[in-house]
């Protein structure tokens, strides 16, 4: 096992670990304080309404469904992209590397508008004419989430490829592996942790996407409403207690999902 | 490739990723066959798309439900801020009906040739919402100038009710600078204002009547005389490119029918211009 990844067990009583852990405590307690404030604000009737509402149940399923499918699609793209950017220097590789990060800095509304504008153009309307609808459609949720979230996955996976030993891949090549085999049987398993971490980042980011969806697919209840949309809809008519209950539901689901991915991925907790 | 080299070429690690790929595949399958709650209705009913300002959702959602039953159609009611809806209408040129929070959005859309017809659905009438625990006598806009009174209004840059409140102060002929010096809270949306009065943080706020209606049990509503008031109109418009203008016009008529008006009134909205 990689020595550098082994943790020191428990804080030892030095001034240094005291300093480090006070930051951990401060951050953890700040996050908890926000959650507790939300918990104190909501009431049982709001929670009961959230749990009973068929619209919110549909939004929950759609949120889970869309962010999971986004993660799968994003990983299919992210692993080869990250590998190529990490292992090869090609004309324009610096530019490509920068463009991969662009969606991270895109303001959410701009991404939504850009997608709408794209589907007005000839290639856009051609795609929709083929029967693959995106505008105002559930597919559009996955598309918008993909653009927002994939960059995070690519970044995380590329960092791992950057730090894994490429000599092992070269050795596999000298032992008769094809490029495909050395990629699939050496590089990818070596980057397993990074790929799982990238998947986690992608899923978490996709689960919380709202801005581009508001513009690109809209907020039709039972059809294109995901949980962040529900929160927006409830706050816009002043039902802050219901909105916060939905937010806490989202946080609970995300916590369970992230723990699950980690467990399945065999990462240390 | 000989057998021996095949053996030696085995990777140093077992491909542990296949297990994860299996899970991902399962997730993919689950998403191709989403749970029943997510499934699309299989019957192909006629569909109307209504773009609706998010703030007027409660009565409109009820009308949409009723209208869908009456005509056996599906109305896709798409909620967002009125300005975002307008951008979408411009860019996609799809949909049948537009119901923003203020008539000026429809006027703007009409200038760009997007509107076939428009009628008034209801009115947003500003009122003074007064805390039950206040020690001030508040019966008019002028009473808001009393020294020490804690007043809340919307931020004029952020929401319509903020701009409107300023215009009401000016129209009322009251001491505007004294009133403005009493403003201790400026909200980003009209929704936070009612809550502040309910909890007794503020003595009075200026909000729309439909918002005040929600707090009628915990606060007092003081009307503003129409000659001093600035009343907004909520329209319902049929879009020029509607694929089903007959049905869209039928919805428009339903909104202004006795039944539509009854639904608006039940949610605290004003359906006739106050005299």
């Amino acid at each position: 096992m990689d020595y550098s990844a082994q943790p020191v067990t428990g804080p030892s009583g030095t001034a240094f670990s005291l300093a480090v852990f006070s930051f951990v405590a401060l951050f953890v307690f700040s996050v908890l304080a926000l959650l507790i404030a939300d918990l104190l604000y909501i009431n049982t009737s709001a929670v009961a309404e959230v749990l009973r509402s068929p619209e919110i149940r549909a939004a929950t399923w759609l949120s889970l469904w869309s962010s999971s499918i986004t993660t799968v699609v994003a990983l299919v793209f992210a692993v080869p992209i990250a590998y190529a950017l990490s292992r090869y220097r090609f004309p324009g590789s610096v530019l490509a590397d920068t463009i991969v990060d662009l969606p991270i800095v895109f303001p959410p509304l701009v991404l939504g508008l850009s997608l709408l504008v794209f589907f007005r153009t000839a290639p856009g309307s051609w795609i929709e004419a083929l029967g693959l609808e995106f505008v105002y459609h559930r597919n559009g949720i996955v598309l918008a989430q993909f653009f927002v979230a994939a960059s995070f996955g690519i970044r995380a996976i590329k960092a791992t490829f950057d730090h894994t030993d490429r000599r092992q891949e070269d050795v596999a090549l000298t032992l008769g592996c094809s490029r495909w085999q050395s990629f699939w049987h050496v590089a990818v398993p070596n980057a397993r942790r990074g790929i799982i971490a990238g998947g986690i980042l992608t899923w978490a980011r996709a689960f919380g996407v709202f801005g581009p969806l508001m513009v690109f697919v809209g907020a039709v209840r039972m059809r294109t409403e995901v949980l962040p949309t529900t929160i927006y809809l409830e706050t816009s008519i002043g039902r802050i207690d219901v909105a916060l209950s939905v937010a806490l539901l989202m946080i609970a689901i995300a916590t369970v999902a992230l723990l699950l991915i980690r467990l399945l991925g065999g990462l240390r907790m | 490739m000989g057998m021996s080299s095949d053996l030696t070429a085995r990777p140093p690690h077992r491909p542990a990723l296949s297990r994860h790929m299996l899970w991902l595949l399962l997730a993919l399958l689950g998403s191709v066959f989403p749970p029943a709650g997510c499934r699309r209705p299989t019957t192909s009913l006629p569909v109307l798309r209504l773009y609706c300002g998010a703030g007027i959702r409660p009565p409109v959602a009820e009308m949409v439900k009723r209208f869908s039953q009456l005509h056996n159609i599906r109305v896709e009611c798409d909620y967002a801020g009125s300005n975002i809806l307008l951008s979408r209408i411009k860019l996609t040129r799809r949909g049948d009906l537009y119901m923003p929070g203020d008539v000026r959005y429809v006027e703007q859309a009409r200038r760009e040739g997007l509107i076939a017809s428009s009628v008034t659905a209801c009115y947003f009438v500003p009122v003074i919402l007064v805390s039950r625990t206040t020690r001030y006598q508040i019966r008019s806009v002028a009473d808001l100038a009393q020294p020490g009174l804690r007043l809340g209004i919307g931020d004029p840059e952020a929401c319509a009710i903020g701009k409107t409140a300023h215009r009401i102060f000016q129209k009322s002929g009251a001491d505007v600078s004294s009133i403005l010096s009493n403003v201790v809270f400026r909200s980003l949306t009209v929704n936070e204002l009612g809550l502040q009065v309910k909890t007794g943080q503020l003595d009075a706020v200026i909000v729309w009547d439909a918002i005040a209606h929600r707090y009628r049990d915990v606060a007092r509503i003081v009307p503003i005389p129409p000659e001093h008031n600035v009343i907004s109109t909520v329209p319902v418009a049929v879009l020029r490119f509607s694929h089903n203008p007959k049905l869209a016009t039928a919805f428009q008529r339903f909104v202004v029918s006795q039944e539509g008006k009854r639904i608006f009134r039940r949610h605290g909205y004003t359906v006739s211009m106050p005299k």
Side-chain angles (χ1 to χ4, degrees):
Chain A
M1 222 37 231
D2 181 8
Y3 174 77
S4 63
Q6 296 293 312
V8 182
T9 39
S12 57
T14 64
F16 175 74
S17 60
L18 207 69
V20 176
F21 276 93
S22 59
F23 279 102
V24 174
L26 190 64
F27 188 73
V28 168
F29 283 120
S30 319
V31 174
L32 286 180
L34 293 180
L35 284 180
I36 290 166
D38 289 350
L39 271 173
L40 292 178
Y41 189 90
I42 62 175
N43 48 54
T44 44
S45 68
V47 174
E49 197 187 325
V50 167
L51 296 179
R52 267 201 299 268
S53 155
E55 283 90 3
I56 295 177
R57 201 169 314 138
T60 308
W61 279 118
L62 189 56
S63 270
L64 283 171
W65 165 76
S66 58
S67 45
S68 302
I69 209 165
T70 299
T71 306
V72 174
V73 177
L75 284 180
V76 167
F77 278 82
V79 173
I81 291 174
Y83 187 80
L85 290 177
S86 171
R87 291 286 187 268
Y88 296 99
R89 286 291 157 269
F90 51 92
S93 63
V94 177
L95 190 67
D97 204 13
T98 311
I99 290 174
V100 160
D101 281 339
L102 266 190
I104 295 178
V105 295
F106 253 47
L109 288 181
V110 174
L111 178 62
L113 282 176
S114 308
L115 284 168
L116 269 189
V117 171
F118 171 77
F119 280 100
R120 266 168 64 103
T121 62
S125 40
W126 181 69
I127 291 173
E128 290 218 311
L130 286 177
L132 199 54
E133 279 185 78
F134 287 103
V135 179
Y136 297 164
H137 198 277
R138 287 209 179 120
N139 296 340
I141 299 177
V142 171
L143 187 67
Q145 287 179 342
F146 175 84
F147 274 112
V148 176
S151 304
F152 289 91
I154 297 171
R155 217 19 73 199
I157 298 169
K158 180 178 176 284
T160 313
F161 279 133
D162 285 343
H163 289 103
T164 51
D165 192 355
R166 72 173 287 183
R167 266 179 309 180
Q168 288 190 6
E169 294 160 42
D170 293 338
V171 169
L173 287 177
T174 63
L175 295 177
C177 269
S178 67
R179 271 267 172 222
W180 290 99
Q181 285 171 322
S182 92
F183 172 71
W184 191 245
H185 294 300
V186 182
V188 170
N190 276 347
R192 195 188 64 141
R193 281 156 168 279
I195 293 170
I196 292 164
I200 288 174
L201 273 177
T202 308
W203 189 88
R205 187 68 197 91
F207 192 61
V209 166
F210 168 65
L213 299 184
M214 179 90 285
V215 180
F216 186 50
V217 296
V220 179
R221 305 215 87 174
M222 310 291 283
R223 288 181 64 80
T224 59
E225 177 187 2
V226 287
L227 286 177
T229 319
T230 313
I231 295 173
Y232 167 78
L233 288 179
E234 296 298 337
T235 42
S236 63
I237 56 165
R239 302 206 306 167
I240 299 165
D241 48 350
V242 178
L244 281 178
S245 306
V246 176
L248 289 173
L249 173 72
M250 265 189 88
I251 293 169
I253 291 173
T255 311
V256 171
L258 296 181
L259 285 177
L260 233 118
I261 302 176
R262 271 166 211 250
L263 280 178
L264 290 177
L267 290 191
R268 257 192 324 273
M269 306 291 289
Chain B
M1 195 188 289
M3 203 176 159
S4 60
S5 72
D6 246 18
L7 279 175
T8 46
R10 280 200 104 100
H13 296 287
R14 252 186 70 247
L17 209 74
S18 56
R19 191 158 47 97
H20 309 303
M21 291 313 282
L22 191 72
W23 281 106
L24 290 179
L25 266 176
L26 278 178
L28 190 70
L29 278 179
S31 22
V32 177
F33 305 101
C38 275
R39 224 167 273 166
R40 263 196 270 170
T42 39
T43 46
S44 56
L45 299 173
V47 181
L48 278 185
R49 171 169 278 270
L50 161 65
Y51 299 93
C52 174
I56 50 172
R57 174 160 65 91
V60 174
E62 204 178 321
M63 279 182 226
V64 160
K65 199 172 162 199
R66 187 79 190 96
F67 185 79
S68 312
Q69 288 166 349
L70 280 176
H71 292 260
N72 194 31
I73 61 157
R74 191 156 58 81
V75 179
E76 285 195 345
C77 198
D78 193 343
Y79 306 101
S82 305
N83 49 347
I84 288 185
L85 293 174
L86 182 57
S87 313
R88 282 227 301 265
I89 293 169
K90 271 191 223 172
L91 285 174
T92 61
R93 298 190 168 254
R94 294 185 199 178
D96 306 280
L97 291 148
Y98 181 35
M99 220 172 153
D102 191 287
V103 72
R104 71 192 161 91
Y105 295 105
V106 164
E107 281 159 10
Q108 195 182 334
R110 192 192 296 280
R111 282 196 293 275
E112 309 198 22
L114 306 171
I115 303 293
S117 72
S118 169
V119 295
T120 296
C122 68
Y123 297 92
F124 274 159
V125 184
V127 295
I128 311 171
L129 188 66
V130 179
S131 160
R132 288 223 187 264
T133 57
T134 183
R135 55 194 175 87
Y136 294 92
Q137 285 275 354
I138 302 171
R139 295 207 189 86
S140 68
V141 174
D143 289 340
L144 298 175
Q146 296 171 70
L149 184 141
R150 295 169 62 81
L151 179 65
I153 58 172
D155 188 309
E157 301 296 318
C159 57
I161 190 70
K163 241 174 251 159
T164 305
H166 275 256
R167 285 169 59 201
I168 292 170
F169 298 152
Q170 273 146 15
K171 255 179 121 173
S172 70
D175 180 359
V176 178
S177 62
S178 304
I179 294 179
L180 288 181
S181 67
N182 283 342
V183 173
V184 293
F185 179 71
R186 284 177 194 271
S187 72
L188 287 180
T189 75
V190 66
N191 295 309
E192 294 110 86
L193 291 167
L195 208 66
Q196 297 281 330
V197 162
K198 181 185 168 184
T199 55
Q201 301 281 325
L202 298 175
D203 294 308
V205 293
I206 308 265
V207 293
W208 309 117
D209 51 351
I211 303 285
H213 179 80
R214 289 183 210 146
Y215 296 95
R216 64 194 184 284
D217 298 330
V218 291
R220 201 156 53 83
I221 298 172
V222 176
I224 299 168
E227 65 272 20
H228 291 164
N229 213 344
V230 179
I231 292 163
S232 296
T233 307
V234 176
V236 51
V238 174
L239 297 172
R240 168 71 50 85
F241 30 79
S242 169
H243 287 302
N244 207 335
K246 237 185 211 156
L247 212 48
T249 312
F251 182 81
Q252 205 181 26
R253 275 203 301 273
F254 179 79
V255 170
V256 296
S257 70
Q258 284 312 312
E259 191 172 0
K261 285 185 171 152
R262 226 179 1 256
I263 294 173
F264 267 131
R265 265 193 234 109
R266 201 167 49 244
H267 287 271
Y269 288 76
T270 302
V271 288
S272 52
M273 191 65 157
K275 292 189 189 76

